[in-house]
Amino acid sequence: MKWNDWLRLLRWRALEEGDAEGALLAEERRQEATARTRGGLLSDQLRGESAGEREFAFLRKRAEWFERETLGWSGTVARMMERLRVPEGRWSWAGAGWGGALAAGYTLSGLGQEKEFNLLALPLVGLLLWNAVIVLVSLVVELRHAPSPQTGLLEWLARAAANGSTERAAEGETLTGSTADQRFATLALPAASARLRGRLRAWLHLAAASVALGSIGGLYARGWAREYHAVWESTLLDEAAAGHFFTGVFGPAAHVFEFELPLERLPAMRRSQGRATQPAPALPWIHLYAGTLLLGVVLPRLALAGLAAWRARRRTDQALAQLGWRSYVIRTLRAVEGEQAIVPLLVHAASSSPGHREVWSRGVRERFGGMTRANVLHVPPGEEDEVLASWKPDDARAFLVFNLATTPESEVHRHLAAEIRRRLAAAGTPVDLTVLLDATSIGNRWPPEKTAGREKLWNSLLEGVADTILIAARRAA
């Protein structure tokens, strides 16, 4: 999928998951969007560990329906969508940078070149050597899996180039809007940051190619209006060493473009005591410099820019595809499934306030479909057998609620679950017994280690009896 398609899905998913109570986008509206766009897709049809093409096609159609129907219907939702943004590079900044790189290359080509074309002038030679080093380093960076050593610089550039929104939540939107904003940041920012770093690397490679193109243009532009003669001078190189150096630097361009490489003139071209014995025409050497810049700088940098952009997109798609889309699709589809069935919800020794009932009912809807309703049946401690003796299930599905804070006992809790399972099996269809461990009474009073330990005890006790075990916790404000 394209990046904008990912962003569209992430925005609507963040809004739905951050606005679970439906304050911004009502549950009926979400169900209508699903019913109109799912095209016969059912939650039971999903296979594998992740969502496939059909699931993503459904999500794209659903997001388009939301944008077409809901954004115009609710100004609050439109303002929320406007706030859900990620850092993105500005093309105007990139264009200005590439223009500046061209100008810098044009200027560099003239440094050290007055009336004579000095073959060993540092700006041109330095440009070749610097790019050779950077190309090798960039290949290592792009082909390895560890984070780039340029991450700090690129992170700073990413923040500087970001199209961030400074709009705050409107009055009355603070709690829900903040939650949606945070959910969007959790889902989108890691992938967006990785994408922007990769694109910035590509843009920097293009800027380096622009410097080389500017230098090539500068060489020919100055040669158009002025007659240059080629010379060289060096304290470190004699004629033989200079010949080897120029062969190594200009040999590939001479071979590829079939340019003349007049090495026999080098002794006479050497400038000593301010003068050269016989300066040579500069045009063959300008051709060689231009060809070398093209082969050694422009083409490798363009290839590295393409590699950086491709790897950024690939890594971004991989990161986004691993955000639990299969679970999200299943929850979305189940919101319109269930055929208005009634599933028994047996509550053992747990409080039954309206808040608790809403948590349990939500679990039933997410498990069996949004149209499913729960029929609550209390099972007081010590009266399990009496209650079950008069209970006759209509089908093979049921929810059983235990309090997570209770210490699980085999002779009580496992026996109750096994007896319920036995009665469900009498319907003659595959049994589906879901155990819901209610942790709402615990709140934040228990440390995570204690909660995890208690969950492990329950899972061990109910193994082989319960088909699914869910944990219900109160949503944090």
Side-chain angles (χ1 to χ4, degrees):
M1 280 195 301
K2 296 181 180 179
W3 174 244
N4 287 335
D5 293 330
W6 280 117
L7 281 183
R8 176 184 291 146
L9 300 188
L10 289 170
R11 287 190 179 103
W12 288 108
R13 177 176 172 180
L15 177 60
E16 291 185 85
E17 294 180 348
D19 179 32
E21 307 302 329
L24 290 175
L25 188 60
E27 181 66 27
E28 294 78 9
R29 204 69 173 166
R30 306 179 194 191
Q31 292 176 350
E32 182 182 1
T34 303
R36 290 180 179 274
T37 57
R38 65 174 177 164
L41 182 64
L42 300 174
S43 60
D44 292 339
Q45 296 175 348
L46 271 65
R47 299 289 185 270
E49 297 294 328
S50 58
E53 293 184 6
R54 185 180 181 186
E55 289 76 39
F56 282 116
F58 155 65
L59 292 178
R60 286 197 299 270
K61 291 179 182 177
R62 187 170 181 267
E64 291 170 0
W65 188 93
F66 274 135
E67 291 181 353
R68 184 173 62 252
E69 300 292 334
T70 305
L71 288 183
W73 169 75
S74 173
T76 305
V77 175
R79 290 194 296 272
M80 173 58 69
M81 290 294 108
E82 188 66 22
R83 284 214 313 273
L84 300 182
R85 298 183 181 181
V86 294
E88 294 190 272
R90 300 180 180 178
W91 284 106
S92 58
W93 287 26
W98 297 333
L102 283 170
Y106 184 93
T107 303
L108 284 174
S109 67
L111 297 180
Q113 318 292 351
E114 296 176 359
K115 293 184 178 181
E116 294 178 324
F117 182 62
N118 187 348
L119 300 183
L120 293 178
L122 287 178
L124 288 176
V125 176
L127 183 63
L128 292 171
L129 295 178
W130 168 255
N131 276 275
V133 172
I134 295 301
V135 165
L136 292 177
V137 172
S138 297
L139 280 174
V140 173
V141 169
E142 295 298 340
L143 297 180
R144 74 177 194 167
H145 297 290
S148 166
Q150 298 173 314
T151 297
L153 171 62
L154 293 175
E155 285 286 4
W156 179 84
L157 288 174
R159 289 194 298 269
N163 278 327
S165 173
T166 58
E167 183 181 351
R168 312 304 297 175
E171 183 178 357
E173 295 179 39
T174 306
L175 177 60
T176 305
S178 173
T179 305
D181 290 337
Q182 292 171 358
R183 184 58 180 155
F184 180 74
T186 301
L187 292 171
L189 282 186
S193 179
R195 175 179 181 268
L196 185 53
R197 288 197 302 270
R199 289 170 67 86
L200 284 173
R201 285 199 298 273
W203 292 345
L204 291 175
H205 287 309
L206 291 177
S210 298
V211 171
L213 290 174
S215 296
I216 292 173
L219 290 173
Y220 285 106
R222 291 182 175 87
W224 175 265
R226 181 179 298 177
E227 182 180 2
Y228 281 101
H229 290 87
V231 299
W232 67 276
E233 61 179 332
S234 175
T235 302
L236 303 180
L237 301 179
D238 57 16
E239 285 85 353
H244 292 306
F245 176 78
F246 290 132
T247 299
V249 173
F250 298 131
H255 176 72
V256 171
F257 299 108
E258 298 182 354
F259 289 152
E260 176 189 3
L261 182 55
L263 297 177
E264 70 280 358
R265 297 189 178 186
L266 287 180
M269 292 165 55
R270 184 173 188 178
R271 185 165 59 188
S272 179
Q273 297 180 352
R275 298 186 61 185
T277 304
Q278 188 177 356
L283 185 58
W285 297 98
I286 291 177
H287 288 328
L288 289 169
Y289 253 114
T292 301
L293 287 173
L294 186 63
L295 289 179
V297 180
V298 176
L299 295 181
R301 290 292 191 151
L302 292 178
L304 283 171
L307 177 62
W310 175 77
R311 285 184 65 83
R313 178 171 181 176
R314 184 166 178 267
R315 288 175 176 174
T316 301
D317 287 344
Q318 289 176 343
L320 291 171
Q322 297 172 359
L323 291 177
W325 292 102
R326 182 176 180 275
S327 299
Y328 173 63
V329 172
I330 289 175
R331 290 196 306 271
T332 301
L333 291 173
R334 284 182 176 168
V336 296
E337 295 175 351
E339 301 177 353
Q340 297 183 342
I342 298 177
V343 173
L345 191 149
L346 296 94
V347 182
H348 183 262
S351 301
S352 184
S353 66
H356 289 91
R357 286 174 176 265
E358 173 55 31
V359 171
W360 302 337
S361 297
R362 185 183 302 148
V364 171
R365 292 194 299 271
E366 291 181 359
R367 181 71 179 86
F368 296 118
M371 307 304 291
T372 306
R373 296 295 177 262
N375 181 23
V376 179
L377 176 64
H378 288 279
V379 184
E383 301 179 16
E384 294 87 355
D385 294 337
E386 291 81 355
V387 172
L388 292 184
S390 60
W391 176 59
K392 294 182 180 180
D394 295 326
D395 60 19
R397 299 180 299 175
F399 251 70
L400 175 58
V401 178
F402 290 128
N403 192 332
L404 179 67
T406 302
T407 302
E409 300 177 4
S410 179
E411 62 276 11
V412 177
H413 303 99
R414 183 179 176 85
H415 172 74
L416 176 59
E419 181 62 20
I420 292 174
R421 186 175 188 87
R422 186 183 68 81
R423 290 180 173 273
L424 293 175
T429 57
V431 174
D432 192 341
L433 175 59
T434 301
V435 172
L436 185 68
L437 300 177
D438 191 342
T440 56
S441 61
I442 297 174
N444 297 323
R445 295 184 290 107
W446 282 18
E449 311 82 53
K450 184 176 180 179
T451 303
R454 185 57 56 84
E455 291 178 13
K456 185 176 181 180
L457 286 176
W458 277 105
N459 278 277
S460 176
L461 179 78
L462 297 173
E463 184 177 1
V465 177
D467 297 285
T468 305
I469 299 177
L470 304 176
I471 308 295
R474 189 178 302 281
R475 183 177 299 276

